[in-house]
Amino acid sequence: MAAYGLYTHISSNKIRSMLLLAGLFLLIYVIVFAGALVAEVLLYSNKSVDFYLIQARRDLIAAFPYATLAAALWIVIAYFFHQNMIDAVTGGESVTRQQQPRLYNLLENLCISRGIPMPKLKVMDSPALNAFASGLNQRQYAVTVTSGLLQALNDQEIEAVLGHELTHIRNGDVQLMVIAVIIAGVVGFFGELFFRMFTNLSWNSSGGSSSSSSSSSSSSDRDSKGGGGAIIAIIIAVALILLAWLLSQVVKLALSRSRELLADAGSVELTKNPDAMITALRKIENRGELPGATSAVMELCVDNPREGFADLFATHPSVDNRVKALVQFAGGHDPGPLALPSDTADESDEPEESATGQLQPPVPRGPWSDPSEPAGVPGTRPGPSEGPWGPHR
């Protein structure tokens, strides 16, 4: 399906995402089939590969409704309790207008200007610079931002980040990503379960085989032929589990990477300020790691600095690529990587060495001094990349 405009891209992306999500759900049955192969090898240790494959297919057909019911039950549980689990991991707490008037007003103004129902607002106490949206329906939608983000970004940049998260909600990205994480979690859980079972069985089978050295030559020939079939069946099961897990990760990455660019564009469409989105990304760049957060939570964030080998398993496009897209298609201006006052705080707090080689104490700062001024250099003002809402001490 060709895509020519922002909303056409969003519609096309939704169709592709639904197909990917359906394929992700099918991976559950691949895991069930692999588990059936392992079970058949346990029940019949001297059969051919064709026998194991036929029996595993019959087992899959018999287990199909139960596997579907179990997956649906898993999704229902996550539907009602996923926000509680996310809050438990991140420590996010709901805030009111009285607690966070600046943040609350920015989000409310955006929602009112575009006729968007206002989601819940949460703040997590973390020096990291990040934010994410969560929820599966209108009553559950929430936008969570870190305290570090509030300190480092100015109003326009925070508004751009909020627009990014609202776009995820408007486009239905949040629901698809949460469901994708849930289904991928099922695949990963059962894959790990089967691997643990296979590891234990390998030790048991090796022990059992060592105690059967007194068997006759005819039975040993028969066992070796059957054992070969069992080994091939186990190899197939392991390969299927690995393939299912790998594909589940690839599907999650495809959903996440393609949607971040659209969310950036949606933020510009909401705020009419591409430069604010660009500078927000530059400030967040490499500063978004949430300590203690799982990979599933990081995949929902504005930026996920966790990357795999050769960027293959990175859940988000690089900040450089996102900024280039905003410059090319939204007419923004890229200031390049930005340094925050907190990046040089340690250097400015260190005593300076005079010409005589003696350490000079830093100049004390008064309660009304600018926190962004380096110690010992009064009158130094922050550069144009530093907003008035820089970190406070």
Side-chain angles (χ1 to χ4, degrees), residues 157 278-285 287 334-340 343 384-386:
E157 293 161 352
I278 291 175
T279 55
L281 288 173
R282 285 303 187 186
K283 288 184 178 181
I284 294 172
E285 185 177 13
R287 302 181 180 97
D334 180 16
L338 299 177
L340 299 181
D343 297 336
S385 62
E386 298 172 1

Side-chain angles (χ1 to χ4, degrees), residues 289-305:
E289 179 68 29
L290 300 178
T294 63
S295 59
V297 173
M298 293 301 302
E299 290 166 9
L300 300 175
C301 292
V302 173
D303 183 40
N304 183 6

Side-chain angles (χ1 to χ4, degrees), residues 169-365:
I169 294 176
R170 291 177 67 191
N171 294 351
D173 301 345
V174 177
Q175 299 97 316
L176 287 175
M177 281 304 302
V178 170
I179 294 175
V181 168
I182 293 170
I183 298 177
V186 175
V187 175
F189 172 78
F190 285 106
E192 182 178 356
L193 180 65
F194 286 133
F195 269 121
R196 289 180 180 272
M197 183 174 64
F198 172 74
T199 303
N200 294 334
L201 289 176
S202 64
W203 286 103
N204 294 336
S205 62
S206 62
S209 62
S210 62
S211 62
S212 59
S213 58
S214 59
S215 59
S216 62
S217 59
S218 59
S219 61
S220 63
D221 292 340
R222 183 175 64 252
D223 290 342
S224 63
K225 293 179 181 178
I231 292 174
I232 295 176
I234 290 294
I235 293 175
I236 293 175
V238 172
L240 288 175
I241 294 173
L242 283 174
L243 179 63
W245 177 84
L246 182 61
L247 289 178
S248 69
Q249 302 306 308
V250 171
V251 170
K252 282 200 306 178
L253 301 187
L255 289 173
S256 181
R257 292 170 77 95
S258 60
R259 292 175 179 276
E260 292 305 318
L261 295 173
L262 290 177
D264 292 341
S267 175
V268 174
E269 193 266 339
L270 285 173
T271 63
K272 310 300 182 185
N273 191 347
D275 289 342
M277 189 69 235
I278 291 175
T279 55
L281 288 173
R282 285 303 187 186
K283 288 184 178 181
I284 294 172
E285 185 177 13
N286 298 322
R287 302 181 180 97
E289 179 68 29
L290 300 178
T294 63
S295 59
V297 173
M298 293 301 302
E299 290 166 9
L300 300 175
C301 292
V302 173
D303 183 40
N304 183 6
R306 300 178 183 177
E307 298 181 354
F309 55 90
D311 201 38
L312 179 62
F313 288 98
T315 61
H316 288 51
S318 66
V319 170
D320 285 336
N321 289 337
R322 294 166 69 176
V323 169
K324 287 178 182 178
L326 290 173
V327 171
Q328 180 178 358
F329 299 107
H333 302 85
D334 180 16
L338 299 177
L340 299 181
S342 59
D343 297 336
T344 57
D346 295 337
E347 297 179 4
S348 62
D349 289 338
E350 292 180 356
E352 297 181 357
E353 187 173 351
S354 65
T356 60
Q358 296 180 349
L359 296 177
Q360 301 294 329
V363 177
R365 294 172 177 171

Side-chain angles (χ1 to χ4, degrees), residues 119-137:
K120 298 177 183 177
L121 187 59
K122 297 177 180 287
V123 174
M124 59 177 295
D125 186 16
S126 172
L129 276 59
N130 228 325
F132 62 89
S134 56
L136 290 173
N137 57 49

